[in-house]
Amino acid sequence: MIDLNALSQINKIIEQDKISSTYKFALLKSTIDACQRYDNLITIENKMAKIPLGLIIENWIFDYLPFVFRQLRQQNSGNILNSEIEKIYNELFECMCLDSRHTTWEDAYIKIYTKYSNLELDDKQSKILLKLSKKMASTITKMPMKYSGESQYSIYMPEKTTFGKISLHDKFNRQFLIDSFGMFSINEDHYNIFRYMGQSLFGISTIARRWREKTYSLNREQLLTDEVDSMIFKTIFADRNTNIARQYLPEDCTCVWSNKSLKNGQYDIDHLLPYSVWANNDLWNLLPSDPRINSQKSDKIPSPELIVKQKDIIVDYWNLYEEKAKVLFDYQIRTSLAHEKSTTLNKHEYIYAMCEKAEYLIVQRGYSSYNTK
């Protein structure tokens, strides 16, 4: 499955490509994330994988947000990023009353990311993020995508590099990014490397290490230690906040894995696909669990057989979320589990999609599976 020549090409980008900024590292990181988490949106035809460019744009917006907020340079020119991109970020910070003199980058990140992921952006914030996404798209396609590899566009092949005609009709969100910015293609061999070896490539010794080293070299006058690692890995979300689910769940529930009755709110909120592995706080992934069962499951992956066995109770909770938070739930589950050509909201299809992700994590990534007795 893994082509050694393709692996060598990726390794050369990481270790040997000329690096004038951190852009290539951000591109590789976001490609890994897209290939591993959004296989439902990726199509493979004629040995080429077609991936929504919007997924890369979304990653870039949030990957670079901490560095702009903290004024940490990310390119040799002396600027943090492209000056136009910096200007738009600062417009967003001002619009959301975020001042780096009084606010940590962590709090700024969480405020913006939470509003974005929960569909709470107002019209002005949406328009600013649209402007930012257009500039990001142009930068991504004309710089790291163009110059990664031994010749121009030899690894990444975007459908287009200009995005001026995109207009915002609805709220700015992931679905808008996916629908509006077209696709880019990579060779199927490269896709397999990103999908099945991505965590090794992004580990401490490779992409993350090179990104960290470049940031240190560009900001020698500042004392930077673990803060850069936190910006790259987003360890601020290690608490896996699940409070949003409790807004919609009743006091008395049934354990999603054991069918045990849970009274008076005495239950845990389990990430069906563990947060440490999938980093997903969507409602569809947050269901009530007996605390003892949740402790046993820990960061294990529910087996496809267990998911199918419990599909009725999972769908019942999904129906409850849909009833109480339809717009948010439909948006989250569609972007996470719906296949690229799907036109209907079929929850049993989503059960199958979740089984596919669980099997990938267990069989291809080597995570332990979880089954109830």
Side-chain angles (χ1 to χ4, degrees):
M1 178 178 290
I2 299 301
D3 182 277
L4 294 181
N5 182 56
L7 179 59
S8 175
Q9 291 173 336
I10 300 300
N11 282 330
K12 283 180 180 178
I13 296 173
I14 299 171
E15 298 291 350
Q16 298 179 32
D17 263 16
K18 182 178 179 182
I19 301 296
S20 60
S21 70
T22 63
Y23 288 170
K24 288 181 182 179
F25 306 135
L27 176 59
L28 291 170
K29 174 183 179 292
S30 55
T31 306
I32 290 168
D33 183 75
C35 292
Q36 293 191 341
R37 296 180 61 202
Y38 296 100
D39 57 297
N40 52 301
L41 301 176
I42 297 171
T43 57
I44 298 178
E45 299 175 357
N46 300 319
K47 298 187 176 180
M48 299 295 291
K50 296 182 67 175
I51 304 170
L53 180 63
L55 296 176
I56 308 299
I57 297 167
E58 179 189 57
N59 266 275
W60 270 49
I61 288 172
F62 290 102
D63 277 345
Y64 278 121
L65 190 155
F67 295 100
V68 179
F69 196 75
R70 276 281 283 109
Q71 298 287 288
L72 296 180
R73 289 187 294 275
Q74 293 293 289
Q75 55 180 354
N76 289 349
S77 67
N79 293 332
I80 301 165
L81 298 173
N82 173 294
S83 59
E84 292 183 60
I85 289 176
E86 286 181 50
K87 182 178 179 181
I88 300 171
Y89 268 118
N90 289 324
E91 185 180 350
L92 178 65
F93 300 150
E94 182 178 354
C95 175
M96 300 187 74
C97 300
L98 298 169
D99 187 336
S100 61
R101 294 171 297 181
H102 310 294
T103 308
T104 66
W105 74 263
E106 292 93 338
D107 288 342
Y109 186 103
I110 289 171
K111 181 175 182 179
I112 296 172
Y113 186 82
T114 301
K115 276 185 166 289
Y116 169 77
S117 59
N118 290 344
L119 302 181
E120 296 172 348
L121 296 168
D122 63 29
D123 290 342
K124 185 175 181 181
Q125 294 159 358
S126 289
K127 289 176 181 177
I128 294 171
L129 281 165
L130 172 63
K131 285 197 298 183
L132 181 59
S133 67
K134 288 183 180 182
K135 291 295 182 184
M136 285 290 196
S138 180
T139 299
I140 291 165
T141 54
K142 292 179 180 178
M143 294 184 70
M145 280 191 173
K146 183 175 182 178
Y147 295 110
S148 292
E150 296 180 351
S151 59
Q152 294 183 6
Y153 294 118
S154 59
I155 304 292
Y156 291 89
M157 289 149 274
E159 283 182 346
K160 55 183 179 178
T161 58
T162 57
F163 305 91
K165 294 182 179 180
I166 295 173
S167 60
L168 182 60
H169 298 290
D170 300 307
K171 294 290 186 181
F172 184 90
N173 56 42
R174 182 180 300 136
Q175 192 65 59
F176 171 79
L177 288 169
I178 292 168
D179 292 342
S180 301
F181 284 86
M183 312 288 279
F184 69 94
S185 298
I186 57 175
N187 188 283
E188 185 179 6
D189 291 328
H190 294 134
Y191 167 75
N192 287 332
I193 290 166
F194 290 130
R195 180 159 171 76
Y196 300 111
M197 298 183 65
Q199 295 310 110
S200 298
L201 291 172
F202 186 58
I204 295 300
S205 63
T206 50
I207 297 170
R209 171 182 61 83
R210 295 277 281 137
W211 192 338
R212 182 196 307 118
E213 289 173 350
K214 186 64 178 177
T215 299
Y216 285 164
S217 71
L218 291 168
N219 299 274
R220 290 189 180 93
E221 75 283 4
Q222 300 199 48
L223 182 62
L224 302 175
T225 53
D226 295 340
E227 185 177 20
V228 174
D229 279 354
S230 183
M231 290 177 173
I232 293 172
F233 287 106
K234 307 299 186 298
T235 52
I236 54 173
F237 286 117
D239 62 347
R240 314 171 190 188
N241 193 309
T242 59
N243 289 337
I244 188 172
R246 289 189 181 272
Q247 297 178 30
Y248 306 113
L249 293 171
E251 286 289 296
D252 297 339
C253 289
T254 301
C255 175
V256 66
W257 302 125
S258 68
N259 299 320
K260 178 182 176 180
S261 293
L262 307 168
K263 301 293 186 180
N264 302 317
Q266 298 300 306
Y267 52 80
D268 288 349
I269 301 295
D270 180 38
H271 287 84
L272 305 188
L273 299 178
Y275 189 91
S276 62
V277 177
W278 212 247
N280 183 293
N281 238 29
D282 290 351
L283 289 172
W284 65 265
N285 200 38
L286 301 173
L287 296 187
S289 173
D290 177 358
R292 182 181 62 83
I293 294 293
N294 194 35
S295 178
Q296 290 176 355
K297 176 176 175 282
S298 186
D299 289 337
K300 294 178 181 177
I301 311 300
S303 70
E305 294 78 14
L306 178 59
I307 293 171
V308 170
K309 178 184 174 184
Q310 298 299 114
K311 63 180 173 49
D312 289 339
I313 190 170
I314 293 173
V315 169
D316 283 345
Y317 281 122
W318 285 354
N319 286 333
L320 179 64
Y321 283 141
E322 186 178 32
E323 177 186 338
K324 295 189 174 184
K326 180 175 175 56
V327 174
L328 179 61
F329 173 78
D330 288 358
Y331 158 72
Q332 289 179 339
I333 200 168
R334 183 178 293 280
T335 56
S336 294
L337 296 179
H339 283 279
E340 192 263 336
K341 296 180 180 179
S342 177
T343 57
T344 59
L345 192 67
N346 187 317
K347 296 185 184 66
H348 289 281
E349 286 184 12
Y350 293 157
I351 289 288
Y352 177 72
M354 191 163 69
C355 288
E356 287 183 324
K357 292 186 186 298
E359 184 174 19
Y360 157 70
L361 291 169
I362 295 166
V363 176
Q364 304 297 340
R365 297 270 297 277
Y367 287 98
S368 298
S369 64
Y370 175 73
N371 285 283
T372 56
K373 294 181 181 179

